[in-house]
Amino acid sequence: MTPDDPYLPAPAEVIEVIEETPTIKTLRLSPITPLQFRAGQFVQLTVPGVGEAPFTPSSSPLEPERVDITILNTGTVTEQLHRASPGQMLGLRGPFGKGYPIETLAGKEVLIVGGGVGLAPLRALIQTLMADLERVKRVSIKYGARCMEELLYLDQQKQWADEDKVDVTTTIDRPQPGWGGRTGVVTTLLTDVDVDKSNCFCFVCGPGVMLKFTTQTLLGEGFEPEQIYLSMNRRMSCGMGHCGRCNIGPHYLCKDGPDINYALIKDYPDVF
Ligand SMILES: Cc1cc2nc3c(=O)[nH]c(=O)nc-3n(C[C@H](O)[C@H](O)[C@H](O)COP(=O)(O)OP(=O)(O)OC[C@H]3O[C@@H](n4cnc5c(N)ncnc54)[C@H](O)[C@@H]3O)c2cc1C
């Protein structure tokens, strides 16, 4: 979708609402024009009369006529989006940003680390990789949520794990009745992680504090800054590098990111 005026949202109809967890819903949208995007690019989603907010589609770019946006209810716009129902019209601007550097992943191991709703943008990456697993050597997915009820995409996690080249490990923060899996924050899944560190790229998405501690853990495990891509989901407004809300040094996260190589930003203050 490329409207002549990049500030003008194009109509998109809500065709399905999926209740993922008590705080997270996925809106399945049918944009008036199929949304051609790369995994990791983001859109500005408008609730008419309320406002707009940035989200990274959680669905596969291979299905541009049906776009999933997975949304944590956190404030004004997201609360209205949680009230959306099938048939409602929203607005969509974008896509913006660069998207994940899929081309660099040929023959590589890929370590994907998600925290909470951070698995949503990563799902577009995972689905892109799953569509052509020959391209990569292996995919390791490490995912953490606060509690069992907040775990996203459980059925798909099982499908991903069924692939020989893919392993999925999930943890919740604290033990809970009925949970037989790992406990502890997601960084606990990264110590002695079973990947070939010399041939691996890491993609991390989650809350700011999770990005910080995950980066520290990966560096401590011997990864180089150049091997780590972070989803820097800061406040963004225009999406085109004009308003100056989201830059780290010379890097505009809306244009050069939102997934950015840690080596490019590591020396700037207040990165996290
Ligand atoms: C590129 C990008 C991709 C994103 N993808 C997703 C996604 O796939 N799913 C999803 O649920 N969320 C995503 N987000 C975050 C989402 O944009 C915010 O949650 C949303 O803008 C909040 O709007 P609101 O009006 O509901 O909240 P507000 O009423 O504006 O704020 C509510 C609270 O959230 C905080 N907040 C608002 N925006 C941000 C932000 N960008 N970063 C940190 N804190 C914030 C505010 O400080 C406040 O505490 C993404 C953000 C960016 C920049």
Side-chain angles (χ1 to χ4, degrees):
M1 179 185 344
T2 342
D4 293 339
D5 180 350
Y7 291 101
L8 195 65
E13 183 183 347
V14 178
I15 52 171
E16 194 179 345
V17 178
I18 302 161
E19 306 237 0
E20 306 279 8
T21 80
T23 60
I24 300 172
K25 288 186 182 180
T26 295
L27 301 187
R28 183 155 291 163
L29 305 177
S30 168
I32 193 162
T33 312
L35 181 77
Q36 305 293 345
F37 68 103
R38 285 170 57 90
Q41 284 191 299
F42 72 96
V43 296
Q44 289 280 7
L45 191 57
T46 306
V47 183
V50 179
E52 67 174 9
F55 300 96
T56 305
S58 57
S59 53
S60 167
L62 300 173
E63 294 182 61
E65 66 294 328
R66 194 215 70 171
V67 179
D68 287 354
I69 311 272
T70 299
I71 301 164
L72 173 71
N73 185 356
T74 177
T76 314
V77 174
T78 49
E79 188 181 336
Q80 291 306 316
L81 288 168
H82 267 236
R83 290 189 184 164
S85 52
Q88 186 170 338
M89 297 306 290
L90 301 173
L92 206 57
R93 291 198 295 128
F96 300 112
K98 278 196 173 158
Y100 293 110
I102 307 277
E103 295 73 20
T104 61
L105 301 180
K108 301 282 178 195
E109 298 208 18
V110 184
L111 176 60
I112 292 174
V113 191
V117 76
L119 189 62
L122 293 168
R123 187 173 72 164
L125 171 65
I126 295 167
Q127 288 178 333
T128 305
L129 296 175
M130 297 284 288
D132 183 11
L133 274 175
E134 290 301 304
R135 178 185 357 219
V136 293
K137 196 155 172 233
R138 202 152 67 97
V139 180
S140 292
I141 302 165
K142 310 290 178 191
Y143 173 52
R146 278 189 291 120
C147 59
M148 269 163 69
E149 293 74 20
E150 289 296 329
L151 288 168
L152 274 180
Y153 313 139
L154 283 176
D155 288 347
Q156 282 152 76
Q157 287 190 39
K158 288 192 193 108
Q159 288 169 12
W160 300 337
D162 279 345
E163 293 289 341
D164 288 345
K165 276 193 176 183
V166 182
D167 64 82
V168 183
T169 317
T170 299
T171 182
I172 58 172
D173 285 0
R174 277 174 286 282
Q176 204 180 336
W179 176 251
R182 299 277 299 254
T183 53
V185 292
V186 73
T187 49
T188 60
L189 304 181
L190 300 176
T191 43
D192 296 325
V193 67
D194 178 26
V195 296
D196 174 3
K197 288 174 193 150
S198 64
N199 187 37
C200 181
F201 280 112
C202 313
F203 296 91
V204 189
C205 187
V209 68
M210 175 265 184
L211 292 182
K212 177 178 174 177
F213 288 110
T214 300
T215 304
Q216 285 176 2
T217 306
L218 292 172
L219 293 172
E221 289 295 306
F223 289 95
E224 298 296 330
E226 290 76 10
Q227 292 176 278
I228 304 171
Y229 284 83
L230 303 176
S231 292
M232 303 298 289
N233 289 347
R234 289 202 172 172
R235 280 188 171 275
M236 292 181 187
S237 185
C238 71
M240 291 170 281
H242 295 159
C243 73
R245 290 251 189 117
C246 66
N247 58 307
I248 299 181
H251 305 290
Y252 283 81
L253 293 171
C254 66
K255 244 182 7 153
D256 306 327
D259 309 286
I260 194 151
N261 194 286
Y262 180 58
L264 294 176
I265 55 172
K266 68 183 176 56
D267 295 325
Y268 292 98
D270 302 329
V271 164
F272 297 108

